[in-house]
């Protein structure tokens, strides 16, 4: 997943419900690493479709589907089919182990969140997001570190008034 992020021109992050904080966390980490990110979180279907208009073969769609295939966002198969048609990569983080999603994502990562009758958390999916971002930063030949340095310089410029 980290290599796919490095190679992507744009990373599209899609999430609804309990995955929305994860989209925000990952978006911030990736932006700081110098990646172009499009967040599609909490939007209506028509608005989400508009965001995917610029999706191309050099991009990746990263999404979450929690609880079961049936409770995944209804537009997820449509989004994955659109990405596949264009040649874009797809990555899915899900807690529905053994469930087959169609069309099949290029990478599927499993994150246990607890049993249905238990209190569930987003800690495991959050660890996956952090692991992907940190791995990407470690293996991208210093691009992320350079981006963080540039961000630090820009912050200092902003704080010192120009």
């Amino acid at each position: 997943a980290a290599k796919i992020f490095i190679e992507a021109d744009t990373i599209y992050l899609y999430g609804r419900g309990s995955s929305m904080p994860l989209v925000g966390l990952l978006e911030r980490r990736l932006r700081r690493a110098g990646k172009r990110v499009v967040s599609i979180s909490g939007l209506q279907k028509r608005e989400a479709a508009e965001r995917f208009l610029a999706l191309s073969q050099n991009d990746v769609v990263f999404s979450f589907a929690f609880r079961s295939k049936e409770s995944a966002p209804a537009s997820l198969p449509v989004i994955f089919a659109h990405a596949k048609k264009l040649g874009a990569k797809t990555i899915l983080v899900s807690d529905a182990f053994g469930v087959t999603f169609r069309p099949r994502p290029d990478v599927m990562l499993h994150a246990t969140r607890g049993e249905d009758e238990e209190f569930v958390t987003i800690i495991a999916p959050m660890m996956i997001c952090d692991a992907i971002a940190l791995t990407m930063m470690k293996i991208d030949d210093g691009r992320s570190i350079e981006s963080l340095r540039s961000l630090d310089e820009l912050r200092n410029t902003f704080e010192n008034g120009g």
Side-chain angles (χ1 to χ4, degrees):
K3 286 182 182 180
I4 292 172
F5 276 11
I6 290 169
E7 294 169 359
D9 289 342
T10 304
I11 300 168
Y12 288 77
L13 303 176
Y14 180 68
R16 294 176 35 134
S18 61
S19 68
M20 288 172 60
L22 299 169
V23 168
L25 169 79
L26 193 54
E27 177 186 16
R28 189 171 186 179
R29 289 206 185 281
L30 294 172
R31 261 197 339 262
R32 288 177 175 183
K35 297 303 293 182
R36 187 177 321 129
V37 181
V38 175
S39 176
I40 300 136
S41 180
L43 299 177
Q44 298 297 321
K45 289 178 185 178
R46 294 176 63 86
E47 293 171 302
E50 189 177 299
R51 299 276 176 98
F52 282 110
L53 191 59
L55 183 69
S56 74
Q57 68 180 9
N58 298 322
D59 299 334
V60 61
V61 176
F62 185 93
S63 185
F64 300 90
F66 293 143
R67 299 315 256 160
S68 69
K69 179 181 175 186
E70 291 73 31
S71 67
S75 52
L76 193 58
V78 174
I79 291 166
F80 278 15
H82 179 65
K84 295 277 184 199
K85 181 176 79 175
L86 297 172
K89 299 285 188 200
T90 54
I91 301 172
L92 179 66
V93 176
S94 178
D95 61 355
F97 187 72
V99 173
T100 303
F101 286 86
R102 295 281 183 242
R104 172 179 261 133
D106 294 297
V107 176
M108 184 160 173
L109 303 168
H110 181 256
T112 302
R113 299 185 332 127
E115 298 299 322
D116 285 344
E117 60 277 350
E118 298 175 349
F119 179 77
V120 294
T121 72
I122 60 169
I123 292 172
M126 186 181 300
M127 288 173 50
I128 288 174
C129 291
D130 277 345
I132 293 169
L134 293 172
T135 300
M136 184 194 80
M137 291 176 185
K138 183 174 177 142
I139 65 173
D140 72 354
D141 297 324
R143 291 185 297 245
S144 296
I145 299 303
E146 184 57 38
S147 180
L148 289 171
R149 282 190 191 112
S150 295
L151 175 60
D152 196 40
E153 289 173 13
L154 187 58
R155 284 179 174 161
N156 286 335
T157 301
F158 272 58
E159 288 175 5
N160 295 322

